[in-house]
Amino acid sequence: MIRSAFLRLFGLIPFLSSRSLSPFFYQTPSSLTLPLKLLPVSGLLISTVTVDDHPSEVIIDTGSPFLTVGSLGDHSHSHPNVPIAGGSTTSTEQYGEDVLLVTWVNCPVRLPGRTGEGEKRMTLVGKVQPRRGVNTNYLGLSYDDAERPSVVSQFDWDAFVLSYADETLRLTRGVGEETFPYKFYDFKPYSSNAFYYATAIHSIQIGESVFQPSPGRDMVVVIDSGLSGIILDSSFDEILPSSGLNPTNAFIEINLRNGKKWTVQNADYYNLVRYRLPWFDKETTAERKYPITVAIGAAYLYGKTLKVDVRTKTFDLDI
């Protein structure tokens, strides 16, 4: 999901560590495998989580750090609103091109397991003001957030494997660290709140055209499973031909800095889209331009596997 918080607040987050809530656990396994379901055409993977005893289908989203739903269960009135950074219990979040009001509450969440009851914890959840035609149910897997605790940190997961081939999400904690080939790209020079599974690349080939950044400018690819298609940030405008570029069924090859290549095929339904990603909130100057960014969504990840270790801040994408 392409997301950003439009309210930039400051302060500490008064939220209990999940470790302090251990009596509430159904179990604390070192690993948990969630069964997923593939949505046709979009390629999105979904799971059914229980929020306040209310089952909700949620999109598995590596492009956001938190759990949001459009509705809670019958006992939602009994769960307190939780102040996030700056003391407010609400924020505005972006879902695609829509900006919606989100109220943050603390309530029980159960993640399903392939076998057994799964795992249940008190968790910070965003209740989204509904809007017709906008999906607001997302289980975020991004590892951090500047304004509220991520789902990954609340459940103490420190690694995961998201498999489009097996349609599973395997979460682990306390297992040996792994160092994967690609280091998380550091967006801090350009954004106060951007924590994505991204890596700098050498160039990208779209159809028959190859694009490279100008000297001193980074080009970055982001793996965003909450997005269906591919988004080229408007920063691509400076290197695209004057005739523009929006091919259907384009062959896309990403040339990584270590010499390897990722190849994906544009899905029949999803063309390339270009617009300004809302991630970069710090002033861009001629001396410090934010990276030229491409976000790859789920329709291009079919059959592939994303592996992440939050402790080493590395990931891999098996092509």
Side-chain angles (χ1 to χ4, degrees):
M1 178 185 75
I2 301 301
R3 59 162 290 274
S4 67
F6 283 82
L7 297 179
R8 294 301 176 193
L9 304 169
F10 301 92
L12 298 176
I13 300 174
F15 188 78
L16 289 174
S17 166
S18 57
R19 289 185 175 87
S20 67
L21 299 170
S22 55
F24 189 75
F25 298 173
Y26 273 82
Q27 52 182 305
T28 55
S30 60
S31 68
L32 183 68
T33 299
L34 279 65
L36 307 179
K37 182 171 68 174
L38 182 71
L39 294 181
V41 182
S42 70
L44 296 167
L45 290 172
I46 64 172
S47 180
T48 300
V49 302
T50 304
V51 182
D52 189 33
D53 297 325
H54 179 69
S56 297
E57 285 194 337
V58 293
I59 294 169
I60 303 301
D61 183 16
T62 59
S64 70
F66 35 72
L67 172 61
T68 62
V69 292
S71 62
L72 299 176
D74 296 336
H75 306 290
S76 59
H77 63 278
S78 64
H79 301 305
N81 293 352
V82 177
I84 57 173
S88 175
T89 60
T90 63
S91 67
T92 54
E93 307 295 334
Q94 186 162 342
Y95 294 81
E97 298 181 2
D98 295 275
V99 179
L100 304 177
L101 181 68
V102 179
T103 301
W104 298 96
V105 300
N106 194 21
C107 65
V109 171
R110 191 203 324 263
L111 301 181
R114 230 176 185 179
T115 59
E117 290 183 309
E119 184 174 356
K120 185 175 181 180
R121 294 194 180 196
M122 293 296 289
T123 307
L124 184 69
V125 177
K127 182 182 179 183
V128 187
Q129 185 177 35
R131 180 173 296 178
R132 184 182 297 272
V134 180
N135 193 324
T136 58
N137 289 11
Y138 288 87
L139 177 63
L141 294 178
S142 185
Y143 62 101
D144 203 356
D145 187 81
E147 297 175 353
R148 74 226 86 187
S150 67
V151 174
V152 169
S153 67
Q154 290 178 78
F155 275 84
D156 298 322
W157 302 117
D158 46 37
F160 68 84
V161 176
L162 177 61
S163 173
Y164 284 80
D166 298 337
E167 297 181 14
T168 58
L169 170 64
R170 184 173 184 267
L171 298 150
T172 59
R173 66 164 70 87
V175 180
E177 292 185 5
E178 292 193 69
T179 300
F180 295 114
Y182 307 106
K183 192 77 174 174
F184 297 175
Y185 186 82
D186 184 7
F187 286 98
K188 286 182 181 178
Y190 318 101
S191 174
S192 62
N193 197 18
F195 303 93
Y196 300 105
Y197 303 122
T199 189
I201 64 176
H202 178 265
S203 62
I204 184 170
Q205 179 177 342
I206 303 175
E208 297 181 353
S209 302
V210 178
F211 303 97
Q212 290 181 278
S214 56
R217 185 85 178 267
D218 283 343
M219 180 180 283
V220 173
V221 61
V222 177
I223 309 301
D224 187 348
S225 68
L227 169 72
S228 290
I230 284 185
I231 291 180
L232 303 180
D233 180 69
S234 58
S235 55
F236 263 87
D237 292 347
E238 67 182 59
I239 58 176
L240 291 175
S242 58
S243 59
L245 179 70
N246 192 22
T248 301
N249 265 346
F251 166 85
I252 297 174
E253 186 172 80
I254 297 166
N255 299 298
L256 299 153
R257 287 185 172 181
N258 63 359
K260 293 186 177 181
K261 297 180 179 181
W262 291 341
T263 301
V264 296
Q265 184 72 24
N266 195 347
D268 292 337
Y269 185 76
Y270 291 97
N271 295 340
L272 303 179
V273 177
R274 295 210 315 275
Y275 71 84
R276 177 74 160 88
L277 292 169
W279 301 339
F280 308 110
D281 55 9
K282 294 188 177 180
E283 183 180 1
T284 296
T285 66
E287 294 76 24
R288 191 200 64 193
K289 293 184 177 180
Y290 68 85
I292 297 173
T293 304
V294 54
I296 297 181
Y300 298 81
L301 299 174
Y302 182 76
K304 299 170 175 59
T305 299
L306 174 65
K307 301 176 181 178
V308 172
D309 194 308
V310 173
R311 296 160 298 184
T312 59
K313 294 189 175 181
T314 60
F315 75 97
D316 195 11
L317 183 64
D318 290 345
I319 295 294

